Every structure is written in structure tokens, then in C-alpha cells.
Amino acid sequence: MSRLVVISNRVSVPTSDVGGAQGGLSVALAAALRESNGVWFGWSGEETEHFSGHINFQRNFGVATATIDLEPHDIEEYYNGYANRTLWPLFHYRVDLAEFERGFAGGYERVNARFADTVVPLIEPEDLVWVNDYHLIPLGQKLRERGCRNRIGFFLHIPWPPMPLLLSLPSHRELVQSMFAYDVVGFQTKDSLEAFRDYARVQLGADFGDDDGVVHEGRSIRAIACPIGIDTTEFRASAEGEVARGVFEQMRASANGRTMIIGVDRLDYSKGLQERFLGYERFLAANPDKHGAVFLLQIAPPSRGEVQSYQEIRAQLDALSGRINGEFADAEWVPIRYVNKGHPREQLAGMYRAARIGLVTPLRDGMNLVAKEYVAAQDAKDPGVLILSRFAGAAEQLADALLVNPHSPEELADAIATALAMPLTERIARWRRMLDNIEAEDVIWWRRRFTDALEASQPQAAN
Ligand code: GDG
């Protein structure tokens, strides 16, 4: 395998040889970097008064990382601004929340150029360069402008929006054209891939070759769907490990005979938390016999607290959970346990396993790894039921979940009732098919599929 240079906004520094507390993505990338003796480059998360291009090199558990600090206005305009206030909402179909400010766009270009300037000297001629996510879409082009002729791939972790939505971005054309600097571009779903091809055909007049090729102004790239998976084997093992078993017992004891429903999401408007609470409220209103018999544990660690729309969604959820609890609770039962704090990964595994229903109802999601983690954590003899939004990328692979429209409180309420009544044989049959899928298409499969496609592409010819 060629040496891999992974570039993403943030870098996850390994904390052990095997991952443990870290997510599947960082474990899989760390394994690839170890095997190929590669390096992971990105922002440290720290501020500096004056950007100097200084790189902090580290090697932890066999993985080399290289990080840079950014100036406060870089963080404001590039990260909080263009990435999280323009692209994130727009790509999640929330044009109403997207802010289009020239300062943000300028900061995005500047920081992508800074990434390119600092990483270029680290790239050797035969390296495979793998750029990740919406923070760095134009990076490939900036690398080309600096003479980089390596094979460069780009993977988008969030949805690619349909053409009419993308047209509302003032610099949509430049952004999409910059994708043609890559050799391979990867999307989570066929749906996102189709939306990209649609834009390329209608707006750029691109041609389509065999083998996923998209040709624009003489540049031919491969555009593929490459759904990300989880570390299924490890996560299953951790759900049966000591920490998870302890948490499982505690959860069962604190449930006191009640059936638990679980949701685990970063506190983000794309995750459909308000709609989920409203659907659960509808279920409670329609099923008085279930009062006191079920409860919803919603874990929602806050994220992106500097961005106003995140402050607003947090306040709205505080109010909504309070209102529902006030309306339905009695002295011994609270219908929603709403927890704004993160939990170690092994503990989450135990919580998933203790829940009869996994409620994963984003309004839009590139993939959604929680859905796959919930399935992986289940007991083969008594698995729970996954209720999954049709608008999560994961729905393309997990068709055996109860698929719902997250905007409809009735559908959510009906799905909760169906899941609670589902016989064991049906639960097992559905779960088995979902597990087969997440075992076959795990995070190692994902990483290989992408790097194999990149390795198979032709290096750029010299000009
Ligand atoms: C983006 C895309 C795509 C959550 N709470 C805790 C915790 N988590 C972990 C989960 C899961 C991860 O965070 C969240 O992943 P998701 O996929 O659900 O969502 P995003 O953060 O929005 O990720 C998404 C993903 O990229 C990968 O391509 O699937 O569509 O939006 O692993 O378990 N982890 C710990 N404690 C918590 O409290 N340790």
C-alpha cells in the first residue's frame, strides 16, 4: 500500500493501540496510517495570535500526526463561519439557517490555502492524499496549484444537497468545479452521488464515462458511493465487556421494570431532536396505558456552542423536554431523561444494549453511526428494534429498521407502538439482517474501498 496522507479539519490523536474509547473512524484511519507509515494532518483545535505555519509533529501508538494552530479570525470565519454556518446547514437542507457572508467565504479560502501551504512539503511523490469533509472541499485544487501531482481523494461525510438547494450558495460553481482537482470523490450514499452527478450534468455540462467517471473540461474523476461503517466486531465485543455489562445492569436497575428507549446524538438541529420529542409526546398521548411503563433516555452532548443556531436549539429542547415531563410525569415516573453530557464509548455500548428501542431520527444525516452502533450492541437472543429516519444515509443499508419520516409525529408514535409490540422472532430476523450488513460493510471495508479506488486512479500528468 502507498503511504497515506490523511487531511481533515481536526486530527484524532490515538490514545491506545486498539482504539478503546475512540470512535471507529479514528481507529480505522489510525490502522491505515500505521500500516502505511503515513501521517494525519489537520488543525490542532488551538488558537495562535499569528499564523506561522509551525507544525506540531507527534507520534502516538505508532501513528504520526501533524497539526497547526489557527488565528482567531480563521476559526471564526472558516470553522464557525463558512463550515458550520454556511455549508453545514445548507448541505443538511436548511437554507433557512444558512448564512452567506463574504467574510466567511474569504476565511474558508484562506484557511484552505494555509492547509495547502503547510502540508505540501510533507507530501512525497508516491503518497496517496486523502482529504476529508466539507471544511476542506477546495483543498485539492489548492494542492494542485502548488504543484502536487499525487493521487488525491476527497470523502464527504455529510449529505451532498440536491442541485436546486446548492444553487443558493453564492459560489456554488467554483466550489463544485474545485472537486475536479481530485482523482476520486466519495459520498456516503447513492442519493448524494446522484445529486452530485446531477449538478455536474446540468450546471457544468459534464460527461459521464464508464466506471463512475465524470468528465469536465478535460479532467476525468471517479465519483463513488462509499458508505462509512463502524468497527462492528470491536463494538460488539465492547458491548459484552465488563464496563458495558456494569452499565447495562445499572440501567436495568434504574429502569425498575420499565422499557427503555434510547437516543444518542450530538446536540444539532440536523438530528431531529425536537421532532423526536414531539413524536414521543404523541405516543404518550395516544397510549395512556404506557404511562409509567416506558421512558426515553436522550443523551445529547452539546456541540458548536459558539454558533447561535446551536444555542437556540439547546434552549428549545430544554423547554420542550420540560414541558413534556411536566405534562406527563408523576411522582414516580419521568417520561424523558434528557442528559446534556457525553459518555465514554464503552458505557454507551451498555446503554444501547439495555434499550428495547433505538430512536435515530435525524432530519438529514450523511450516514449516522449511532444507528449502526445500536444494532452492533444488541444481544443476539433478545435484540431491540431500531427506528430509523428515512433521511439518514444509514437507511440505504438498514432497510430492516422501522423506517420513519421524522417530520411526522404520527409516524414516530406508531413506530414506537409497533416496536414495543414486535414479537421476538421478528426482532431477531430484522436484527440479524442488519447485523450481517454492518459486519460486511464495516469501517475497514469503507476505508479499503476508498483507498483502493484512489490507488487504482492515474496520477496526474505533468503540465
Ligand atoms: C458526521 C456525519 C456521519 C455521541 N455521543 C457520544 C458519542 N457519540 C458518538 C457516537 C457516534 C458519533 O459520536 C456520532 O456520529 P454520527 O454519525 O451519528 O454523527 P456526526 O457527529 O454528525 O458525524 C454523519 C459521520 O460524520 C461519519 O461519517 O455518519 O452523518 O454527520 O460514533 O457514538 N461518543 C462518546 N460519548 C458520547 O456521549 N464517546
Short mmCIF file of all heavy atoms in Angstrom, two decimals, residues 21 88 92 155 157-158 188 228 264 266 271 299 301 341-345 348 352 365-370 373, ligand 1:
data_model
loop_
_atom_site.label_atom_id
_atom_site.label_comp_id
_atom_site.label_asym_id
_atom_site.label_seq_id
_atom_site.Cartn_x
_atom_site.Cartn_y
_atom_site.Cartn_z
N ALA A 21 -11.60 3.83 23.71
CA ALA A 21 -12.55 4.93 23.90
C ALA A 21 -12.81 5.71 22.63
O ALA A 21 -13.76 6.46 22.54
CB ALA A 21 -12.04 5.86 24.98
N TRP A 88 -22.67 23.59 6.51
CA TRP A 88 -23.38 22.56 7.29
C TRP A 88 -24.89 22.70 7.16
O TRP A 88 -25.57 21.73 6.74
CB TRP A 88 -22.92 22.55 8.76
CG TRP A 88 -23.68 21.56 9.60
CD1 TRP A 88 -24.88 21.77 10.22
CD2 TRP A 88 -23.32 20.20 9.86
NE1 TRP A 88 -25.29 20.62 10.88
CE2 TRP A 88 -24.35 19.64 10.68
CE3 TRP A 88 -22.24 19.39 9.51
CZ2 TRP A 88 -24.32 18.33 11.14
CZ3 TRP A 88 -22.22 18.07 9.98
CH2 TRP A 88 -23.25 17.56 10.78
N HIS A 92 -27.41 20.19 4.86
CA HIS A 92 -28.46 19.45 5.56
C HIS A 92 -29.84 20.02 5.24
O HIS A 92 -30.77 19.90 6.04
CB HIS A 92 -28.20 19.43 7.07
CG HIS A 92 -27.05 18.55 7.46
ND1 HIS A 92 -25.75 18.97 7.48
CD2 HIS A 92 -27.00 17.23 7.80
CE1 HIS A 92 -24.95 17.97 7.83
NE2 HIS A 92 -25.69 16.89 8.03
N PHE A 155 -13.40 12.67 0.55
CA PHE A 155 -14.61 11.99 1.03
C PHE A 155 -15.47 12.97 1.82
O PHE A 155 -14.99 13.65 2.72
CB PHE A 155 -14.26 10.78 1.93
CG PHE A 155 -15.50 10.03 2.33
CD1 PHE A 155 -16.10 9.14 1.45
CD2 PHE A 155 -16.09 10.25 3.57
CE1 PHE A 155 -17.28 8.48 1.79
CE2 PHE A 155 -17.27 9.59 3.92
CZ PHE A 155 -17.85 8.70 3.02
N HIS A 157 -18.43 13.51 4.42
CA HIS A 157 -19.12 12.75 5.47
C HIS A 157 -20.59 13.16 5.62
O HIS A 157 -21.36 12.45 6.26
CB HIS A 157 -18.39 12.92 6.81
CG HIS A 157 -17.07 12.23 6.85
ND1 HIS A 157 -16.87 11.02 7.46
CD2 HIS A 157 -15.88 12.56 6.29
CE1 HIS A 157 -15.61 10.64 7.30
NE2 HIS A 157 -14.98 11.56 6.60
N ILE A 158 -20.95 14.32 5.07
CA ILE A 158 -22.33 14.81 5.22
C ILE A 158 -23.05 14.67 3.88
O ILE A 158 -22.41 14.32 2.88
CB ILE A 158 -22.32 16.27 5.74
CG1 ILE A 158 -21.71 17.24 4.72
CG2 ILE A 158 -21.55 16.36 7.07
CD1 ILE A 158 -21.80 18.71 5.13
N GLN A 188 -21.44 9.36 0.89
CA GLN A 188 -21.95 8.32 1.78
C GLN A 188 -23.00 7.43 1.10
O GLN A 188 -23.12 6.25 1.42
CB GLN A 188 -22.64 8.97 2.99
CG GLN A 188 -21.73 9.81 3.88
CD GLN A 188 -21.03 8.98 4.95
OE1 GLN A 188 -20.84 7.77 4.76
NE2 GLN A 188 -20.66 9.60 6.03
N ILE A 228 -19.81 4.81 4.96
CA ILE A 228 -18.92 4.55 6.10
C ILE A 228 -19.58 3.55 7.06
O ILE A 228 -20.80 3.53 7.22
CB ILE A 228 -18.56 5.86 6.82
CG1 ILE A 228 -17.37 5.66 7.76
CG2 ILE A 228 -19.73 6.46 7.57
CD1 ILE A 228 -16.75 6.97 8.25
N VAL A 264 -29.12 8.88 21.08
CA VAL A 264 -27.77 9.42 21.35
C VAL A 264 -27.38 10.30 20.16
O VAL A 264 -27.26 9.80 19.04
CB VAL A 264 -26.72 8.29 21.50
CG1 VAL A 264 -25.31 8.85 21.67
CG2 VAL A 264 -27.07 7.36 22.66
N ARG A 266 -25.20 14.16 18.97
CA ARG A 266 -24.68 15.49 19.23
C ARG A 266 -25.86 16.44 19.20
O ARG A 266 -26.78 16.25 18.40
CB ARG A 266 -23.72 15.92 18.11
CG ARG A 266 -22.27 15.66 18.37
CD ARG A 266 -21.37 16.25 17.30
NE ARG A 266 -21.85 16.09 15.95
CZ ARG A 266 -22.49 17.03 15.26
NH1 ARG A 266 -22.72 18.22 15.78
NH2 ARG A 266 -22.86 16.80 14.01
N LYS A 271 -30.30 16.61 13.78
CA LYS A 271 -30.60 15.30 14.36
C LYS A 271 -32.08 15.10 14.67
O LYS A 271 -32.48 14.02 15.11
CB LYS A 271 -29.75 15.07 15.61
CG LYS A 271 -28.23 15.16 15.38
CD LYS A 271 -27.71 14.04 14.48
CE LYS A 271 -26.19 14.13 14.29
NZ LYS A 271 -25.66 13.13 13.35
N ILE A 299 -29.48 11.13 25.22
CA ILE A 299 -28.15 11.66 25.51
C ILE A 299 -27.80 12.63 24.39
O ILE A 299 -27.85 12.26 23.21
CB ILE A 299 -27.14 10.51 25.60
CG1 ILE A 299 -27.53 9.66 26.80
CG2 ILE A 299 -25.71 11.04 25.71
CD1 ILE A 299 -26.65 8.52 27.08
N PRO A 301 -24.87 15.38 23.99
CA PRO A 301 -23.77 16.28 24.37
C PRO A 301 -23.76 17.53 23.48
O PRO A 301 -23.89 17.40 22.26
CB PRO A 301 -22.49 15.44 24.14
CG PRO A 301 -22.92 14.18 23.48
CD PRO A 301 -24.42 14.08 23.51
N LYS A 341 -24.76 15.51 28.39
CA LYS A 341 -23.35 15.27 28.65
C LYS A 341 -22.90 14.02 27.92
O LYS A 341 -23.71 13.12 27.69
CB LYS A 341 -23.22 15.27 30.17
CG LYS A 341 -22.53 14.22 30.82
CD LYS A 341 -22.46 14.47 32.32
CE LYS A 341 -22.49 13.06 32.88
NZ LYS A 341 -22.97 12.83 34.13
N GLY A 342 -21.63 14.01 27.52
CA GLY A 342 -21.08 12.86 26.80
C GLY A 342 -20.76 11.71 27.74
O GLY A 342 -20.64 11.91 28.95
N HIS A 343 -20.67 10.51 27.18
CA HIS A 343 -20.34 9.33 27.98
C HIS A 343 -19.25 8.55 27.26
O HIS A 343 -19.25 8.49 26.02
CB HIS A 343 -21.57 8.42 28.14
CG HIS A 343 -22.62 9.04 28.99
ND1 HIS A 343 -23.38 10.09 28.56
CD2 HIS A 343 -23.02 8.77 30.25
CE1 HIS A 343 -24.21 10.45 29.53
NE2 HIS A 343 -24.02 9.65 30.56
N PRO A 344 -18.36 7.90 28.00
CA PRO A 344 -17.36 7.07 27.33
C PRO A 344 -18.03 6.00 26.45
O PRO A 344 -19.14 5.55 26.75
CB PRO A 344 -16.59 6.42 28.49
CG PRO A 344 -16.84 7.30 29.66
CD PRO A 344 -18.21 7.91 29.45
N ARG A 345 -17.31 5.63 25.39
CA ARG A 345 -17.87 4.74 24.37
C ARG A 345 -18.31 3.38 24.92
O ARG A 345 -19.36 2.87 24.54
CB ARG A 345 -16.78 4.55 23.31
CG ARG A 345 -17.28 4.27 21.94
CD ARG A 345 -16.14 4.45 20.95
NE ARG A 345 -16.23 3.47 19.88
CZ ARG A 345 -17.10 3.55 18.88
NH1 ARG A 345 -17.95 4.55 18.84
NH2 ARG A 345 -17.12 2.63 17.94
N LEU A 348 -21.62 3.77 26.54
CA LEU A 348 -22.69 3.90 25.55
C LEU A 348 -23.13 2.52 25.07
O LEU A 348 -24.32 2.26 24.91
CB LEU A 348 -22.22 4.69 24.33
CG LEU A 348 -22.19 6.21 24.40
CD1 LEU A 348 -21.83 6.75 23.02
CD2 LEU A 348 -23.53 6.77 24.84
N TYR A 352 -26.95 1.22 25.00
CA TYR A 352 -27.65 0.77 23.79
C TYR A 352 -28.27 -0.61 24.03
O TYR A 352 -29.39 -0.90 23.63
CB TYR A 352 -26.68 0.62 22.62
CG TYR A 352 -26.12 1.87 21.98
CD1 TYR A 352 -24.76 1.95 21.65
CD2 TYR A 352 -26.93 2.94 21.64
CE1 TYR A 352 -24.22 3.07 21.01
CE2 TYR A 352 -26.40 4.07 21.01
CZ TYR A 352 -25.05 4.12 20.69
OH TYR A 352 -24.53 5.21 20.06
N ASP A 365 -28.97 13.26 7.49
CA ASP A 365 -27.70 12.82 8.04
C ASP A 365 -26.91 12.14 6.94
O ASP A 365 -27.49 11.37 6.16
CB ASP A 365 -27.96 11.81 9.19
CG ASP A 365 -27.01 12.00 10.36
OD1 ASP A 365 -25.86 12.40 10.13
OD2 ASP A 365 -27.44 11.74 11.50
N GLY A 366 -25.60 12.42 6.86
CA GLY A 366 -24.77 11.79 5.85
C GLY A 366 -24.89 10.28 5.95
O GLY A 366 -25.28 9.59 5.00
N MET A 367 -24.59 9.74 7.13
CA MET A 367 -24.74 8.32 7.39
C MET A 367 -25.56 8.12 8.66
O MET A 367 -26.68 7.73 8.65
CB MET A 367 -23.35 7.66 7.51
CG MET A 367 -23.36 6.19 7.86
SD MET A 367 -24.38 5.17 6.78
CE MET A 367 -23.65 5.47 5.19
N ASN A 368 -24.98 8.38 9.79
CA ASN A 368 -25.42 8.20 11.16
C ASN A 368 -24.87 6.89 11.72
O ASN A 368 -25.37 5.80 11.44
CB ASN A 368 -26.93 8.25 11.37
CG ASN A 368 -27.24 8.42 12.86
OD1 ASN A 368 -26.92 7.53 13.65
ND2 ASN A 368 -27.78 9.53 13.22
N LEU A 369 -23.81 7.04 12.49
CA LEU A 369 -23.13 5.87 13.04
C LEU A 369 -23.83 5.33 14.27
O LEU A 369 -23.69 4.15 14.61
CB LEU A 369 -21.68 6.23 13.38
CG LEU A 369 -20.83 6.65 12.17
CD1 LEU A 369 -19.42 6.99 12.59
CD2 LEU A 369 -20.81 5.56 11.11
N VAL A 370 -24.63 6.18 14.94
CA VAL A 370 -25.34 5.70 16.13
C VAL A 370 -26.27 4.55 15.76
O VAL A 370 -26.39 3.57 16.50
CB VAL A 370 -26.10 6.88 16.80
CG1 VAL A 370 -27.06 6.38 17.87
CG2 VAL A 370 -25.12 7.88 17.39
N GLU A 373 -24.18 1.53 15.59
CA GLU A 373 -23.70 1.13 16.92
C GLU A 373 -24.83 0.48 17.72
O GLU A 373 -24.60 -0.50 18.45
CB GLU A 373 -23.16 2.36 17.66
CG GLU A 373 -21.86 2.90 17.07
CD GLU A 373 -21.51 4.31 17.55
OE1 GLU A 373 -22.25 4.88 18.38
OE2 GLU A 373 -20.48 4.83 17.06
C1 GDG B 1 -20.70 13.03 10.77
C2 GDG B 1 -21.95 12.97 9.87
C3 GDG B 1 -21.59 10.52 9.61
C4 GDG B 1 -22.24 10.60 20.51
N1 GDG B 1 -22.39 10.89 21.82
C5 GDG B 1 -21.34 10.39 22.44
C6 GDG B 1 -20.52 9.78 21.49
N2 GDG B 1 -21.09 9.92 20.33
C7 GDG B 1 -20.55 9.33 19.10
C8 GDG B 1 -21.47 8.26 18.58
C9 GDG B 1 -21.04 8.20 17.13
C10 GDG B 1 -20.59 9.63 16.86
O1 GDG B 1 -20.41 10.29 18.10
C11 GDG B 1 -21.63 10.43 16.12
O2 GDG B 1 -21.61 10.02 14.79
P1 GDG B 1 -22.82 10.28 13.81
O3 GDG B 1 -22.57 9.51 12.60
O4 GDG B 1 -24.08 9.90 14.49
O5 GDG B 1 -22.89 11.86 13.59
P2 GDG B 1 -21.91 13.14 13.31
O6 GDG B 1 -21.15 13.52 14.51
O7 GDG B 1 -22.86 14.20 12.84
O8 GDG B 1 -20.91 12.70 12.15
C12 GDG B 1 -22.61 11.61 9.97
C13 GDG B 1 -20.30 10.68 10.39
O9 GDG B 1 -19.78 12.01 10.26
C14 GDG B 1 -19.21 9.71 9.90
O10 GDG B 1 -19.01 9.80 8.54
O11 GDG B 1 -22.15 9.25 9.92
O12 GDG B 1 -23.71 11.53 9.09
O13 GDG B 1 -22.88 13.99 10.25
O14 GDG B 1 -19.94 7.34 16.94
O15 GDG B 1 -21.26 7.10 19.31
N3 GDG B 1 -19.37 9.15 21.77
C15 GDG B 1 -19.00 9.13 23.08
N4 GDG B 1 -19.76 9.70 24.06
C16 GDG B 1 -20.94 10.34 23.79
O16 GDG B 1 -21.64 10.84 24.67
N5 GDG B 1 -17.85 8.51 23.40
#
